[in-house]
Amino acid sequence: MTTTTTLTAQITVYDVTLRDGNHALRHQASRELVRDYCQLADVSGVDYVEVGHGNGIGASSALVGFSLETDEVLLTTAREALTRKKLAVHCIPGFATVERDVLPALANGVDLVRIGTHVTEADTGAKHLTAVREAGREAVSVLMMSHMATIERLVEECTKVEGFGAQAVVLMDSAGHFSPADVTARISAIVDAVGIDVGFHAHNNLGVGIANALAALDAGATIVDGSSAALGAGAGNAQLECLAAVLVQEYGVDLGELTPFFRMGSLIAERAAGHLPKTTSSSVISALAGVFSGYAPHVQAIAEELNLEPALLWRELGARKVVAGQESIIREIARDLMDLS
């Protein structure tokens, strides 16, 4: 007999398909895909739809990959299609500036901005958080590569962003490194320490994306990320249609009719065929090494080119504590390994 657990808090379902999923598409999501997906999402039980380059607004570049479409095109297309749901973007200071990227995004109808910083460098997002709040929109702090900080440091950084004005803080398991027990310990500590909402963003490198998302909710998180057909960097994210089904069946969350979630998943499976993520030996090694999931295509291509074992490269990237945005160093590290062999 199944036991149904009812969550006492309101749960926010945050859809990252058109942003994190853009990593899997090499940032080539088209305006047509954004339009068609958002029309389906608009009648689903999601609360926010995040849209843009995999590394967020302002990130289209030779370093991390050029977008097929401009930020303006993606956002205005999404805004036109979303009449009920809120439009969100990811923003990494360094890629995105307030004047060039954040304010135009707000002018294009963005309701919520997630400001992503390395887990121990939340201070770098203070200016962006302030600008979004002063514009009267929702501002959320995202701590990326969250496995690279102790629980004590996580609590310290979350307390900081609350002081900066963040209305919520989200932990990103950017490397898919955590187990459910890891998530429980971290989310519980943060929930106890701050007075704002706490969220969790899973990656499925170890095959436990859904389990980690549910562990976060059980530990007191009220925001959970998901991606249709799991489309996302590396081995993908917590699969949204699976997450929705479990939230309804086991937790009693009211997400309305589940059919739109299934249609969203089917659309992505059709349009992103050939790009759908899967858990592989390489993704498991990257998770154990604690390396950003988005590095997967770069590691694979360089390893094949240089006839280098991918596992060696993943482990060396982890040993050097490489973080997102350092794609240019992968080839250099690979050549160092070749010189040692």
Side-chain angles (χ1 to χ4, degrees):
M1 180 170 140
T2 301
T3 300
T4 299
T5 303
T6 301
L7 294 168
T8 57
Q10 179 65 40
I11 301 304
T12 296
V13 178
Y14 191 91
D15 185 346
V16 298
T17 309
L18 297 177
R19 196 280 303 169
D20 207 321
N22 217 353
H23 279 297
L25 298 175
R26 303 292 182 91
H27 317 295
Q28 299 302 293
S30 67
R31 67 187 75 188
E32 292 80 14
L33 175 60
V34 169
R35 178 198 64 209
D36 295 348
Y37 185 87
C38 285
Q39 287 174 347
L40 294 176
D42 202 42
V43 295
S44 75
V46 303
D47 297 288
Y48 295 87
V49 179
E50 188 174 81
V51 176
H53 186 282
N55 295 86
I57 54 174
S60 179
S61 63
L63 176 62
V64 293
F66 289 105
S67 292
L68 174 65
E69 311 276 13
T70 65
D71 289 342
E72 181 179 9
V73 165
L74 293 176
L75 295 178
T76 55
T77 300
R79 182 70 283 167
E80 184 177 349
L82 295 172
T83 62
R84 301 174 180 86
K85 304 303 178 180
K86 292 187 176 182
L87 174 61
V89 292
H90 187 63
C91 162
I92 301 176
F95 286 131
T97 68
V98 170
E99 293 76 16
R100 187 193 67 214
D101 304 297
V102 175
L103 297 182
L106 298 179
N108 285 323
V110 167
D111 300 296
L112 178 148
V113 179
R114 278 185 167 185
I115 294 91
T117 66
H118 184 61
V119 62
T120 57
E121 299 172 6
D123 306 67
T124 61
K127 179 181 178 182
H128 295 67
L129 283 166
T130 299
V132 176
R133 291 302 304 276
E134 288 180 347
R137 308 297 173 84
E138 297 176 71
V140 171
S141 177
V142 174
L143 301 181
M144 303 184 297
M145 300 293 285
S146 59
H147 70 281
M148 296 182 76
T150 64
I151 293 177
E152 293 74 21
R153 183 62 184 272
L154 280 175
V155 168
E156 179 184 336
E157 296 295 315
C158 290
T159 302
K160 278 185 190 178
V161 300
E162 183 176 19
F164 296 152
Q167 292 158 287
V169 60
V170 176
L171 287 196
M172 274 197 175
D173 183 16
S174 309
H177 182 76
F178 289 146
S179 69
D182 295 324
V183 175
T184 298
R186 285 157 177 77
I187 295 294
S188 296
I190 294 166
V191 168
D192 288 343
V194 300
I196 56 177
D197 285 338
V198 177
F200 185 73
H201 174 100
H203 276 272
N204 201 42
N205 295 50
L206 294 176
V208 290
I210 291 288
N212 283 347
L214 298 178
L217 294 176
D218 289 339
T222 56
I223 303 166
V224 63
D225 291 5
S227 178
S228 290
L231 193 71
N237 302 107
Q239 190 161 343
L240 182 59
E241 54 269 45
C242 299
L243 182 60
V246 174
L247 288 176
V248 169
Q249 179 171 301
E250 301 297 327
Y251 288 81
V253 177
D254 182 9
L255 295 179
E257 172 59 49
L258 287 176
T259 299
F261 287 98
F262 303 141
R263 288 175 176 164
M264 289 149 66
S266 294
L267 177 70
I268 294 300
E270 175 187 343
R271 300 283 186 89
H275 299 280
L276 297 179
K278 56 185 177 182
T279 301
T280 64
S281 296
S282 183
S283 70
V284 172
I285 294 165
S286 71
L288 296 175
V291 182
F292 171 50
S293 296
Y295 280 176
H298 306 281
V299 169
Q300 189 63 36
I302 291 172
E304 288 179 2
E305 176 189 337
L306 300 179
N307 195 27
L308 182 68
E309 174 57 49
L312 294 176
L313 185 49
W314 281 120
R315 292 186 182 112
E316 186 62 19
L317 290 168
R320 299 196 192 189
K321 299 188 182 302
V322 173
V323 300
Q326 293 183 298
E327 281 83 352
S328 60
I329 203 173
I330 299 175
R331 182 176 296 277
E332 178 183 331
I333 292 174
R335 291 196 180 281
D336 287 347
L337 290 173
M338 293 294 292
D339 291 341
L340 292 173
S341 62

